[in-house]
Amino acid sequence: MTESQTASHDPQYHAPHGVDADVIVVGAGPVGLTTGCALRHHGVSCLLLEQRTEIKAYSRANNLWARPQELLAGIGLRDALAEQAYPVHTINFFVNGTPTTPIPIADVASPFPEVLYSGQDVIERTLGSTFAERGGRIERGVTVTDVVQDETGVTVVLRRGEDGPEERRRGRYLVAADGARSTIRARLGLDFEPVRLADCMNRQVDARLSWRRSQHPDQLWFFYYERGFAGIMPVWGGYHRLFFLADDTGVPDRDPTLPEIQALAREVTGDDTLTLTDPQWLTHSRFAYGVSPAYARGRVFLAGDAGHLSLPIGGQGMNAGLHDAVEIAWRLAMTLRGEAQPVVLASYDSERGGEHARLSAQQARGFRWTVYRGTITDTVLGLAAKALPNLGSLLQGTDDMQQMGVSYPKSPLNEDRLPGLGPLLRSGPKPGERAPDAEVTHRGETTSLFRFLANPDGWTTGWALLCFDGRSVEAHPALRDALRAVTPWPWIRPRLVLAGPVLDGAEVPVLSDLDGRAHGAYGVEGRPALVLVRPDGHIAFRSGGEAGETLAAYARRVFGAPPAA
């Protein structure tokens, strides 16, 4: 997967008269900044509004899983973040002092398999610099007090300081990324009653760590102990984060002291030499979770914590918010350019709202299993730790920590016209699922299919059409028909994936797949097929190779009539 800056063919969108920006984003945390950077990547004018005057000096969310890294790479952000992050490849689990088989967390089919651990402050500074470089504007020190929608846009009411006069900013759309206490969510009538988890507390510290285990910031440690669950992970700058989720019986309801955390860490890890120094952040917290009943209302969209309260299981919260940022940005860009029917923007609510509901339920199961354990459960875990090599992933409620399985099976953008296969043959990834990578050859160079999915031919909101020949020269006429069928929509960028003879005369990238790796990854070995991939790398449409007119009908439904020449 390659990265690019704003595509040269895309106009640098300037807000029309009477509008401060095409899109206003409220909140300049990682999700709001990523939304702003993504919009600028697509050429959309963007104004960020943030209550804080400066970035917080300590870290909260700090890890990036594989699938969010893929999405960030597609909008040119991943590499800059990776430069100030530790790549992690292994998770070590202990149950009551007994080690389980280490989990190779980087064993996933992605160009970015290693988890990146940095710090939220580092992430925000990096994203903020990129946003400014891309021509984005940010106003700090402003508090949003109201939003008012009409048929053509959104007016944001704000003030500076406690007694400042009311000011207004006008945008065509608004993205609320203003955190768990979102003012905008409440104003839209999308608030929810959080489910609070009783009788448990998290105590946490970011500090320098010395102990008898590895000092290299390339792995994680998690410990199940009596009445609790603990973790140790790297934070950028040579620090480590230690957290302890446990029954709160007898625990003072205040931030812990460094000696208290150090004593607890020694007990849990079994290392009486463990020493903590130079603490950056000592804190305690309790937990609640919930999801907004919708992620959109008119011209306003929720992203990140503005739409959910996330539990600290697997560090999924910020990563899910980054999905939101990428997903809303390409939809808004296409809509603003007149390249999309209303179904494209409407699909954000059903897709991301449904995914957050699924993730929240998963996290709740994992959290309850982790924290509310009894003697019998601990006994079973102690025995199972010696027998189940994947115990650690089972304890978290999922083996998809890397978010590779995020999919939208009920998306209104999905259309599946591929004839069914026999029960013994792979059906391949379906519409709504992530488009897999595969090794192919292009102009004599061994390369990655992902190179031809993200920003196809430099088009930031481009849709990649993969045309598989199924090893048959007889498929060539139908593939030519498919190329002609999508020509009226210039953002659909075809790629021929040929496991058989070369198709001459086609002025599109030709990817050789003689070994059948790409055909196999998509479940189309031995038969021609068309697979249309969205700008976010999810499959939208698939059919047999002869269905050029069906593909054109899909394009009319999703994109509208072809643009005038």
Side-chain angles (χ1 to χ4, degrees), residues 90-103 209 211-214 219-233 243-245 265-271 274 369-370 373 377-396:
T90 302
I91 298 180
N92 305 288
F93 271 94
F94 291 77
V95 177
N96 297 328
T98 300
T100 71
T101 302
I103 298 175
L209 169 68
W211 63 340
R212 291 165 58 194
R213 292 182 170 91
S214 173
Q219 51 192 311
L220 313 176
W221 287 265
F222 293 113
F223 302 85
Y224 284 82
Y225 63 99
E226 185 178 358
R227 299 168 54 210
F229 171 61
I232 299 178
M233 56 197 69
F243 71 82
F244 300 86
L245 290 169
R266 288 180 175 182
E267 177 184 352
V268 169
T269 65
D271 182 358
L274 185 149
W369 171 256
T370 295
R373 305 189 323 272
T377 301
D378 273 355
T379 301
V380 172
L381 288 178
L383 295 173
K386 301 176 182 179
L388 295 177
N390 63 336
L391 175 65
S393 60
L394 294 175
L395 289 169
Q396 298 302 307

Side-chain angles (χ1 to χ4, degrees), residues 535-560:
D536 57 3
H538 286 267
I539 295 171
F541 170 96
R542 66 176 187 170
S543 70
E546 74 290 344
E549 181 50 42
T550 303
L551 175 60
Y554 174 87
R556 286 190 290 272
R557 176 175 77 85
V558 174
F559 308 126

Side-chain angles (χ1 to χ4, degrees), residues 85-412:
Y86 300 119
V88 171
H89 53 73
T90 302
I91 298 180
N92 305 288
F93 271 94
F94 291 77
V95 177
N96 297 328
T98 300
T100 71
T101 302
I103 298 175
I105 193 66
D107 187 18
V108 294
S110 170
F112 314 112
E114 295 180 316
V115 188
L116 298 180
Y117 270 80
S118 182
Q120 183 171 329
D121 51 341
V122 178
I123 292 170
E124 287 188 17
R125 281 194 294 272
T126 303
L127 293 174
S129 295
T130 302
F131 183 62
E133 290 167 1
R134 294 182 179 183
R137 293 173 292 140
I138 183 168
E139 292 187 37
R140 291 189 175 273
V142 298
T143 300
V144 172
T145 60
D146 200 5
V147 293
V148 181
Q149 300 191 59
D150 55 46
E151 293 183 356
T152 62
V154 183
T155 298
V156 180
V157 182
L158 56 88
R159 71 170 185 269
R160 300 176 188 274
E162 293 292 331
D163 303 317
E166 280 193 350
E167 301 179 33
R168 283 168 170 76
R169 300 291 182 271
R170 177 81 173 164
R172 297 172 70 181
Y173 294 94
L174 185 142
V175 177
D178 53 339
R181 296 187 178 92
S182 173
T183 300
I184 296 172
R185 181 181 71 220
R187 290 286 182 180
L188 295 175
L190 296 178
D191 228 339
F192 55 89
E193 187 64 33
V195 178
R196 304 193 180 279
L197 298 174
D199 306 322
C200 65
M201 182 191 298
N202 179 52
R203 289 180 289 173
Q204 184 170 298
V205 64
D206 288 0
R208 296 194 182 277
L209 169 68
S210 173
W211 63 340
R212 291 165 58 194
R213 292 182 170 91
S214 173
Q215 297 288 107
H216 296 295
D218 60 356
Q219 51 192 311
L220 313 176
W221 287 265
F222 293 113
F223 302 85
Y224 284 82
Y225 63 99
E226 185 178 358
R227 299 168 54 210
F229 171 61
I232 299 178
M233 56 197 69
V235 177
W236 186 251
Y239 289 83
H240 279 81
R241 172 166 299 166
L242 288 75
F243 71 82
F244 300 86
L245 290 169
D247 186 310
D248 65 359
T249 302
V251 179
D253 194 4
R254 56 165 172 76
D255 290 347
T257 66
L258 189 64
E260 287 172 343
I261 286 283
Q262 180 173 285
L264 180 57
R266 288 180 175 182
E267 177 184 352
V268 169
T269 65
D271 182 358
D272 58 5
T273 72
L274 185 149
T275 303
L276 299 172
T277 57
D278 192 18
Q280 290 184 309
W281 186 30
L282 285 154
T283 187
H284 79 295
S285 55
R286 298 182 184 275
F287 297 105
Y289 66 95
V291 179
S292 174
Y295 267 63
R297 187 72 89 224
R299 290 175 170 265
V300 182
F301 304 86
L302 304 183
D305 288 349
H308 71 263
L309 284 177
S310 182
L311 292 171
I313 291 292
Q316 302 289 305
M318 180 182 71
N319 285 268
L322 297 177
H323 282 258
D324 298 342
V326 172
E327 295 292 357
I328 192 56
W330 68 263
R331 287 170 164 87
L332 286 171
M334 292 195 73
T335 299
L336 286 163
R337 287 199 291 263
E339 297 170 356
Q341 291 291 88
V343 66
V344 171
L345 203 50
S347 66
Y348 174 80
D349 184 10
S350 62
E351 289 187 8
R352 293 308 300 157
E355 169 59 19
H356 279 291
R358 182 203 66 79
L359 178 61
S360 182
Q362 171 191 295
Q363 287 185 307
R365 287 193 300 271
F367 194 97
R368 292 181 185 280
W369 171 256
T370 295
V371 177
Y372 300 119
R373 305 189 323 272
T375 304
I376 295 177
T377 301
D378 273 355
T379 301
V380 172
L381 288 178
L383 295 173
K386 301 176 182 179
L388 295 177
N390 63 336
L391 175 65
S393 60
L394 294 175
L395 289 169
Q396 298 302 307
T398 177
D399 59 0
D400 185 31
M401 301 280 284
Q402 296 270 42
Q403 298 192 348
M404 299 289 286
V406 171
S407 65
Y408 310 112
K410 298 181 180 180
S411 172

